[in-house]
């Protein structure tokens, strides 16, 4: 038996630049307090315009990407979601700090927020399909602007990580193959180990709600799914311009 304590340690040089560029991701969900709707129409128009201008300012930066979604009609505890992607964590911080200083910010709560990063996956290297994740594009979030986005946090059992890489790959290959039977659904997987409460955040883009529902139901039968600890709450989000998403809240 190998004496693990005798094996040489591999120490990562914290001063060295990362070998590949990675992105910071935030899925920020917001709900407006009911009293905001009691403000005059002119006041609400100005409030929405201020927040929309902020979203467009962050999105205009070369290193950042912002998408807005409405949850009006699909969730009772969140009204809209802002999907922020940037090479710089400071952009995510600046967005929230500036939002806090807006008039509407004083009337918003954030019932859910998920922070993650991009990272290469060991499971998808041999599973590159058109419009799906692959080793070459996993580090860069590239939304397809499909009508719907389905988001949820994800945590696996600790026993999963004790399995051999070969066994995990075998189970994930089955899981991935199920996903490829739904080419109209594109997955964006990001990672939160040690950064937030979940291990992953998964975001599926599709123009068909029915396709996503059928995909998730089918994946419940995969062997890999038996290692799931948590994959809720789940959010069905509708892609809209900032102005459209904010107009829907009142």
């Amino acid at each position: 038996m190998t004496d693990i304590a005798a094996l040489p340690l591999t120490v990562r040089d914290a001063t060295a630049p990362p070998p590949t560029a990675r992105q910071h991701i935030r899925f920020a969900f917001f709900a407006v307090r009911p009293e905001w709707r009691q403000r005059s129409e002119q006041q609400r128009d100005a409030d929405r315009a201020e927040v929309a201008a902020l979203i467009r300012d962050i999105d205009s930066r070369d290193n950042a990407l912002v998408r807005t979604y409405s949850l009006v009609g699909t969730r009772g505890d969140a009204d809209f979601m802002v999907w922020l992607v940037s090479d710089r964590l400071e952009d995510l911080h600046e967005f929230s700090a500036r939002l806090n200083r807006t008039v509407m910010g004083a009337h918003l709560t954030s019932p859910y927020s998920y922070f993650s990063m991009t990272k290469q996956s060991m499971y998808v290297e041999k599973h590159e399909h058109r419009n799906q994740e692959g080793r070459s594009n996993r580090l860069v979030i590239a939304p397809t602007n499909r009508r719907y986005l389905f988001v949820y946090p994800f945590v696996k059992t600790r026993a999963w990580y004790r399995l051999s890489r070969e066994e995990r790959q075998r189970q994930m290959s089955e899981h991935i193959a199920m996903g490829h039977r739904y080419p109209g659904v594109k997955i964006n997987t990001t990672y939160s180990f040690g950064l937030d409460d979940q291990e992953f955040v998964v975001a599926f883009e599709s123009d068909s709600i029915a396709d996503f529902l059928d995909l998730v139901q089918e994946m419940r039968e995969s062997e890999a799914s038996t290692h799931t600890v948590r994959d809720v709450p789940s959010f069905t989000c509708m892609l809209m311009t900032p102005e459209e998403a904010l107009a829907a809240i009142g």
Side-chain angles (χ1 to χ4, degrees):
M1 181 179 296
T2 303
D3 184 359
I4 297 178
L7 294 176
L9 293 176
T10 300
V11 180
R12 181 170 175 174
D13 182 2
T15 65
T20 51
R22 290 161 68 173
Q23 295 176 311
H24 304 85
I25 319 294
R26 186 182 178 209
F27 298 89
F29 294 85
F30 298 98
V32 65
R33 293 188 175 95
E35 58 269 21
W36 177 79
R37 297 188 179 93
Q38 297 175 6
R39 289 169 60 79
S40 71
E41 182 177 353
Q42 292 75 20
Q43 288 174 319
R44 285 182 283 119
D45 285 345
D47 296 348
R48 289 191 298 262
E50 183 182 22
V51 174
L54 168 58
I55 293 172
R56 292 194 178 279
D57 178 54
I58 301 296
D59 187 43
S60 69
R61 301 176 183 183
D62 291 339
N63 61 299
L65 179 151
V66 184
R67 293 288 185 271
T68 50
Y69 296 82
S70 178
L71 288 92
V72 173
T74 64
R75 291 285 302 198
D77 54 359
D79 295 312
F80 69 99
M81 187 271 285
V82 181
W83 184 11
L84 300 106
V85 181
S86 179
D87 299 340
R88 301 173 62 252
L89 178 59
E90 289 77 9
D91 289 327
L92 278 60
H93 169 79
E94 180 184 340
F95 171 79
S96 294
R98 289 173 59 184
L99 180 64
N100 289 342
R101 294 193 292 268
T102 64
V103 175
M104 180 175 277
H107 298 273
L108 293 176
T109 62
S110 184
Y112 305 98
S113 178
Y114 304 105
F115 175 59
S116 56
M117 289 187 72
T118 55
K119 179 180 174 68
Q120 287 182 335
S121 169
M122 69 177 69
Y123 303 121
V124 298
E125 183 171 10
K126 298 179 181 179
H127 293 272
E128 294 194 32
H129 288 244
R130 189 162 135 346
N131 293 327
Q132 293 291 341
E133 287 185 313
R135 191 81 167 185
S136 62
N137 61 11
R138 183 62 91 91
L139 295 177
V140 178
I141 295 295
T144 60
N145 294 328
R146 298 179 195 185
R147 178 60 173 152
Y148 305 106
L149 184 75
F150 308 92
V151 181
Y152 57 85
F154 190 78
V155 178
K156 284 182 171 289
T157 65
R158 290 299 176 91
W160 168 259
Y161 299 102
R162 297 289 294 172
L163 297 175
S164 68
R165 287 200 173 192
E166 294 76 15
E167 176 58 20
R168 281 181 281 162
Q169 182 65 68
R170 182 189 69 79
Q171 294 189 33
M172 285 302 299
S173 293
E174 176 201 27
H175 199 71
I176 292 167
M178 289 179 173
H180 288 156
R181 291 201 281 271
Y182 296 83
V185 180
K186 178 183 183 291
I187 184 174
N188 301 276
T189 304
T190 53
Y191 300 76
S192 299
F193 291 94
L195 305 180
D196 206 340
D197 294 345
Q198 66 282 336
E199 295 174 353
F200 310 88
V201 185
V202 287
F204 296 83
E205 297 174 84
S206 180
D207 287 323
S208 171
I209 294 178
D211 279 356
F212 181 70
L213 184 153
D214 294 343
L215 166 63
V216 173
Q217 183 179 9
E218 183 172 340
M219 281 187 163
R220 290 290 192 270
E221 300 176 7
S222 75
E223 190 173 357
S225 70
T226 64
H227 292 276
T228 300
V229 173
R230 178 168 62 90
D231 57 359
V232 292
S234 298
F235 305 91
T236 298
C237 313
M238 294 173 281
L239 178 63
M240 295 186 182
T241 66
E243 291 80 6
E244 290 170 336
L246 293 169
I249 66 178

